[in-house]
Amino acid sequence: MENLAYPADDDGEHSGGGHCAGLGGASREADRVAIVDQYATALRVLVDAAEASGDGWSLSRPILFTVHQLCEDALDVANHRRHVDVPSSGKNRHSLSVKMAGAIAGGVYDALTEEERQWCVRFVEEVVPLTGSGFPGRFADGTISDGRRLDDAWCCINPSALRDAAVMFAGLTLLAVTELEEPAEAVTA
């Protein structure tokens, strides 16, 4: 149990290995983008594992949750950069629809082409019924937007299509609002 994590001021040998808990950014702004990058990486790892396992269904809920979290974090970063006020507590704090409406009204997507902006809007419209507020991925009995359980509404998911679309959404969402000298490589790619 003593090797689960190490305090920030511990300069000693970390037996059992480990990975830095820091986000690695030179500023809080860089860290906000880095968290989006970490969720994009997590989504890639989950989808790769699902495809390699032969029983990818066993990772469907974590994939859906990670898709939602990646998109939520990207919208949070973009809305923060544009000073868009969206709920950070209460029942709508995880709502992609509410965050997206704020982003559109707040001009987050103004620098994108009309085609890119419409693609982002459509993506959120498509993924919201699948991910709800992220909860169907977290709880066995979690419900989607119309009150049904996830598996009562959807038979299967397409992990690689979800991964590709979610990473593209995050990249487009951050593209116009991120003013970093070295943006997160995986998201900008």
Side-chain angles (χ1 to χ4, degrees):
M1 295 296 255
E2 62 277 356
N3 295 331
L4 297 178
Y6 306 94
D9 60 356
D10 180 3
D11 293 332
E13 179 85 18
H14 295 166
S15 58
H19 299 276
C20 181
L23 293 168
S27 66
R28 272 302 191 207
E29 190 62 27
D31 281 349
R32 285 187 180 99
V33 173
I35 195 71
V36 175
D37 188 49
Q38 283 195 5
Y39 273 99
T41 299
L43 183 55
R44 288 183 190 101
V45 168
L46 284 170
V47 170
D48 288 350
E51 290 175 352
S53 72
D55 65 347
W57 65 268
S58 66
L59 292 172
S60 62
R61 295 296 181 92
I63 288 169
L64 288 175
F65 176 78
T66 307
V67 164
H68 181 92
Q69 193 63 43
L70 169 61
C71 297
E72 183 178 347
D73 286 345
L75 283 165
D76 284 346
V77 169
N79 284 330
H80 174 79
R81 289 285 302 146
R82 288 283 192 242
H83 308 288
V84 176
D85 187 28
V86 292
S88 58
S89 62
K91 70 176 191 169
N92 288 319
R93 74 179 178 265
H94 298 293
S95 171
L96 294 181
S97 297
V98 169
K99 290 172 187 285
M100 186 64 167
I104 294 292
V108 165
Y109 295 98
D110 288 356
L112 299 180
T113 67
E114 182 62 24
E115 182 181 18
E116 291 168 331
R117 186 172 30 258
Q118 288 304 316
W119 185 91
C120 289
V121 169
R122 182 169 173 239
F123 171 76
V124 169
E125 289 171 352
E126 294 288 326
V127 83
V128 161
L130 196 53
T131 68
S133 290
F135 299 118
R138 292 175 53 199
F139 303 114
D141 293 328
T143 58
I144 55 176
S145 55
D146 64 2
R148 293 184 293 168
R149 283 183 24 183
L150 178 76
D151 51 354
D152 289 336
W154 304 101
C155 170
C156 299
I157 64 168
N158 183 339
S160 59
L162 281 164
R163 173 202 58 216
D164 295 347
V167 169
M168 183 169 169
F169 173 79
L172 286 169
T173 300
L174 297 182
L175 184 64
V177 298
T178 305
E179 298 172 6
L180 300 172
E181 290 177 22
E182 295 181 31
E185 183 177 314
V187 171
T188 57

